[in-house]
PDB file of all heavy atoms in Angstrom:
ATOM      1  N   TYR B 153      87.183  26.114 209.139  1.00 44.00           N
ATOM      2  CA  TYR B 153      88.457  26.548 208.640  1.00 44.00           C
ATOM      3  C   TYR B 153      89.351  26.957 209.826  1.00 44.00           C
ATOM      4  O   TYR B 153      88.885  27.651 210.697  1.00 44.00           O
ATOM      5  CB  TYR B 153      88.304  27.641 207.650  1.00 44.00           C
ATOM      6  CG  TYR B 153      89.557  28.294 207.227  1.00 44.00           C
ATOM      7  CD1 TYR B 153      90.442  27.616 206.353  1.00 44.00           C
ATOM      8  CD2 TYR B 153      89.954  29.524 207.724  1.00 44.00           C
ATOM      9  CE1 TYR B 153      91.625  28.190 205.974  1.00 44.00           C
ATOM     10  CE2 TYR B 153      91.154  30.117 207.319  1.00 44.00           C
ATOM     11  CZ  TYR B 153      91.973  29.425 206.489  1.00 44.00           C
ATOM     12  OH  TYR B 153      93.137  30.005 206.068  1.00 44.00           O
ATOM     13  N   SER B 154      90.583  26.598 209.795  1.00 48.00           N
ATOM     14  CA  SER B 154      91.529  26.901 210.918  1.00 48.00           C
ATOM     15  C   SER B 154      92.626  27.803 210.460  1.00 48.00           C
ATOM     16  O   SER B 154      93.138  27.633 209.357  1.00 48.00           O
ATOM     17  CB  SER B 154      92.127  25.617 211.454  1.00 48.00           C
ATOM     18  OG  SER B 154      93.130  25.932 212.391  1.00 48.00           O
ATOM     19  N   GLU B 155      92.952  28.773 211.282  1.00 51.00           N
ATOM     20  CA  GLU B 155      94.099  29.650 210.991  1.00 51.00           C
ATOM     21  C   GLU B 155      95.414  29.085 211.434  1.00 51.00           C
ATOM     22  O   GLU B 155      96.460  29.650 211.231  1.00 51.00           O
ATOM     23  CB  GLU B 155      93.908  31.014 211.680  1.00 51.00           C
ATOM     24  CG  GLU B 155      92.703  31.750 211.153  1.00 51.00           C
ATOM     25  CD  GLU B 155      92.583  33.142 211.822  1.00 51.00           C
ATOM     26  OE1 GLU B 155      93.505  33.482 212.585  1.00 51.00           O
ATOM     27  OE2 GLU B 155      91.593  33.816 211.590  1.00 51.00           O
ATOM     28  N   HIS B 156      95.370  27.884 212.068  1.00 50.00           N
ATOM     29  CA  HIS B 156      96.583  27.324 212.692  1.00 50.00           C
ATOM     30  C   HIS B 156      97.208  26.270 211.781  1.00 50.00           C
ATOM     31  O   HIS B 156      96.547  25.276 211.482  1.00 50.00           O
ATOM     32  CB  HIS B 156      96.252  26.744 214.047  1.00 50.00           C
ATOM     33  CG  HIS B 156      95.612  27.726 214.959  1.00 50.00           C
ATOM     34  ND1 HIS B 156      96.296  28.770 215.513  1.00 50.00           N
ATOM     35  CD2 HIS B 156      94.319  27.865 215.368  1.00 50.00           C
ATOM     36  CE1 HIS B 156      95.491  29.495 216.285  1.00 50.00           C
ATOM     37  NE2 HIS B 156      94.251  28.976 216.153  1.00 50.00           N
ATOM     38  N   PRO B 157      98.453  26.449 211.334  1.00 48.00           N
ATOM     39  CA  PRO B 157      99.099  25.487 210.392  1.00 48.00           C
ATOM     40  C   PRO B 157      99.179  24.102 210.970  1.00 48.00           C
ATOM     41  O   PRO B 157      99.140  23.118 210.214  1.00 48.00           O
ATOM     42  CB  PRO B 157     100.478  26.117 210.159  1.00 48.00           C
ATOM     43  CG  PRO B 157     100.726  27.060 211.267  1.00 48.00           C
ATOM     44  CD  PRO B 157      99.337  27.549 211.680  1.00 48.00           C
ATOM     45  N   GLU B 158      99.375  23.946 212.261  1.00 47.00           N
ATOM     46  CA  GLU B 158      99.528  22.574 212.798  1.00 47.00           C
ATOM     47  C   GLU B 158      98.257  21.777 212.577  1.00 47.00           C
ATOM     48  O   GLU B 158      98.298  20.547 212.484  1.00 47.00           O
ATOM     49  CB  GLU B 158      99.926  22.644 214.273  1.00 47.00           C
ATOM     50  CG  GLU B 158      98.861  23.242 215.203  1.00 47.00           C
ATOM     51  CD  GLU B 158      98.963  24.780 215.295  1.00 47.00           C
ATOM     52  OE1 GLU B 158      99.725  25.349 214.464  1.00 47.00           O
ATOM     53  OE2 GLU B 158      98.331  25.343 216.211  1.00 47.00           O
ATOM     54  N   ARG B 159      97.096  22.415 212.562  1.00 45.00           N
ATOM     55  CA  ARG B 159      95.889  21.712 212.341  1.00 45.00           C
ATOM     56  C   ARG B 159      95.740  21.260 210.874  1.00 45.00           C
ATOM     57  O   ARG B 159      95.142  20.240 210.582  1.00 45.00           O
ATOM     58  CB  ARG B 159      94.667  22.568 212.752  1.00 45.00           C
ATOM     59  CG  ARG B 159      94.692  22.887 214.247  1.00 45.00           C
ATOM     60  CD  ARG B 159      93.446  23.658 214.613  1.00 45.00           C
ATOM     61  NE  ARG B 159      93.514  24.087 215.999  1.00 45.00           N
ATOM     62  CZ  ARG B 159      92.595  24.845 216.613  1.00 45.00           C
ATOM     63  NH1 ARG B 159      91.561  25.278 215.902  1.00 45.00           N
ATOM     64  NH2 ARG B 159      92.746  25.226 217.864  1.00 45.00           N
ATOM     65  N   TRP B 160      96.272  22.100 209.991  1.00 42.00           N
ATOM     66  CA  TRP B 160      96.277  21.670 208.574  1.00 42.00           C
ATOM     67  C   TRP B 160      97.182  20.480 208.362  1.00 42.00           C
ATOM     68  O   TRP B 160      96.906  19.621 207.574  1.00 42.00           O
ATOM     69  CB  TRP B 160      96.812  22.860 207.720  1.00 42.00           C
ATOM     70  CG  TRP B 160      95.795  23.955 207.561  1.00 42.00           C
ATOM     71  CD1 TRP B 160      95.751  25.083 208.295  1.00 42.00           C
ATOM     72  CD2 TRP B 160      94.717  24.015 206.637  1.00 42.00           C
ATOM     73  NE1 TRP B 160      94.709  25.842 207.859  1.00 42.00           N
ATOM     74  CE2 TRP B 160      94.035  25.236 206.865  1.00 42.00           C
ATOM     75  CE3 TRP B 160      94.240  23.164 205.627  1.00 42.00           C
ATOM     76  CZ2 TRP B 160      92.944  25.581 206.116  1.00 42.00           C
ATOM     77  CZ3 TRP B 160      93.175  23.527 204.916  1.00 42.00           C
ATOM     78  CH2 TRP B 160      92.506  24.744 205.126  1.00 42.00           C
ATOM     79  N   LYS B 161      98.299  20.481 209.068  1.00 42.00           N
ATOM     80  CA  LYS B 161      99.249  19.359 208.886  1.00 42.00           C
ATOM     81  C   LYS B 161      98.638  18.001 209.223  1.00 42.00           C
ATOM     82  O   LYS B 161      98.997  16.969 208.661  1.00 42.00           O
ATOM     83  CB  LYS B 161     100.495  19.555 209.732  1.00 42.00           C
ATOM     84  CG  LYS B 161     101.435  20.672 209.221  1.00 42.00           C
ATOM     85  CD  LYS B 161     102.641  20.800 210.119  1.00 42.00           C
ATOM     86  CE  LYS B 161     103.568  21.866 209.593  1.00 42.00           C
ATOM     87  NZ  LYS B 161     104.779  21.965 210.467  1.00 42.00           N
ATOM     88  N   THR B 162      97.739  17.982 210.176  1.00 35.00           N
ATOM     89  CA  THR B 162      97.069  16.767 210.597  1.00 35.00           C
ATOM     90  C   THR B 162      95.703  16.527 209.980  1.00 35.00           C
ATOM     91  O   THR B 162      94.919  15.773 210.423  1.00 35.00           O
ATOM     92  CB  THR B 162      96.949  16.719 212.109  1.00 35.00           C
ATOM     93  OG1 THR B 162      96.163  17.863 212.537  1.00 35.00           O
ATOM     94  CG2 THR B 162      98.317  16.805 212.797  1.00 35.00           C
ATOM     95  N   ARG B 216     101.014  37.126 206.741  1.00 96.00           N
ATOM     96  CA  ARG B 216      99.642  37.132 207.221  1.00 96.00           C
ATOM     97  C   ARG B 216      98.994  38.449 206.863  1.00 96.00           C
ATOM     98  O   ARG B 216      99.563  39.489 207.066  1.00 96.00           O
ATOM     99  CB  ARG B 216      99.621  36.885 208.750  1.00 96.00           C
ATOM    100  CG  ARG B 216      98.223  36.822 209.301  1.00 96.00           C
ATOM    101  CD  ARG B 216      98.186  36.408 210.751  1.00 96.00           C
ATOM    102  NE  ARG B 216      96.839  36.319 211.275  1.00 96.00           N
ATOM    103  CZ  ARG B 216      96.545  35.866 212.456  1.00 96.00           C
ATOM    104  NH1 ARG B 216      97.522  35.443 213.249  1.00 96.00           N
ATOM    105  NH2 ARG B 216      95.346  35.799 212.883  1.00 96.00           N
ATOM    106  N   ALA B 235      95.971  33.702 206.001  1.00 98.00           N
ATOM    107  CA  ALA B 235      95.627  33.561 207.430  1.00 98.00           C
ATOM    108  C   ALA B 235      96.912  33.182 208.238  1.00 98.00           C
ATOM    109  O   ALA B 235      97.035  33.554 209.394  1.00 98.00           O
ATOM    110  CB  ALA B 235      94.552  32.494 207.602  1.00 98.00           C
ATOM    111  N   TRP B 236      97.779  32.370 207.608  1.00 97.00           N
ATOM    112  CA  TRP B 236      99.034  31.997 208.248  1.00 97.00           C
ATOM    113  C   TRP B 236     100.005  31.569 207.129  1.00 97.00           C
ATOM    114  O   TRP B 236      99.579  31.242 206.063  1.00 97.00           O
ATOM    115  CB  TRP B 236      98.862  30.860 209.261  1.00 97.00           C
ATOM    116  CG  TRP B 236      98.267  29.589 208.671  1.00 97.00           C
ATOM    117  CD1 TRP B 236      96.937  29.232 208.701  1.00 97.00           C
ATOM    118  CD2 TRP B 236      98.989  28.543 208.001  1.00 97.00           C
ATOM    119  NE1 TRP B 236      96.823  27.999 208.092  1.00 97.00           N
ATOM    120  CE2 TRP B 236      98.047  27.551 207.678  1.00 97.00           C
ATOM    121  CE3 TRP B 236     100.332  28.355 207.673  1.00 97.00           C
ATOM    122  CZ2 TRP B 236      98.432  26.399 206.966  1.00 97.00           C
ATOM    123  CZ3 TRP B 236     100.648  27.195 206.987  1.00 97.00           C
ATOM    124  CH2 TRP B 236      99.701  26.241 206.669  1.00 97.00           C
ATOM    125  N   GLN B 238     103.925  29.468 206.878  1.00 93.00           N
ATOM    126  CA  GLN B 238     104.997  28.750 207.572  1.00 93.00           C
ATOM    127  C   GLN B 238     105.823  27.989 206.567  1.00 93.00           C
ATOM    128  O   GLN B 238     105.365  27.077 205.941  1.00 93.00           O
ATOM    129  CB  GLN B 238     104.382  27.832 208.610  1.00 93.00           C
ATOM    130  CG  GLN B 238     105.420  27.166 209.534  1.00 93.00           C
ATOM    131  CD  GLN B 238     104.737  26.308 210.595  1.00 93.00           C
ATOM    132  OE1 GLN B 238     104.248  25.221 210.283  1.00 93.00           O
ATOM    133  NE2 GLN B 238     104.704  26.819 211.811  1.00 93.00           N
ATOM    134  N   GLY B 243      98.076  29.265 204.617  1.00 97.00           N
ATOM    135  CA  GLY B 243      96.628  29.039 204.739  1.00 97.00           C
ATOM    136  C   GLY B 243      95.896  30.227 204.141  1.00 97.00           C
ATOM    137  O   GLY B 243      96.176  31.389 204.486  1.00 97.00           O
TER     138      GLY B 243
END
Side-chain angles (χ1 to χ4, degrees):
Y153 172 74
S154 172
E155 297 183 4
H156 304 288
E158 64 273 13
R159 296 184 186 177
W160 285 97
K161 288 182 179 179
T162 57
R216 183 172 181 173
W236 59 264
Q238 187 176 75

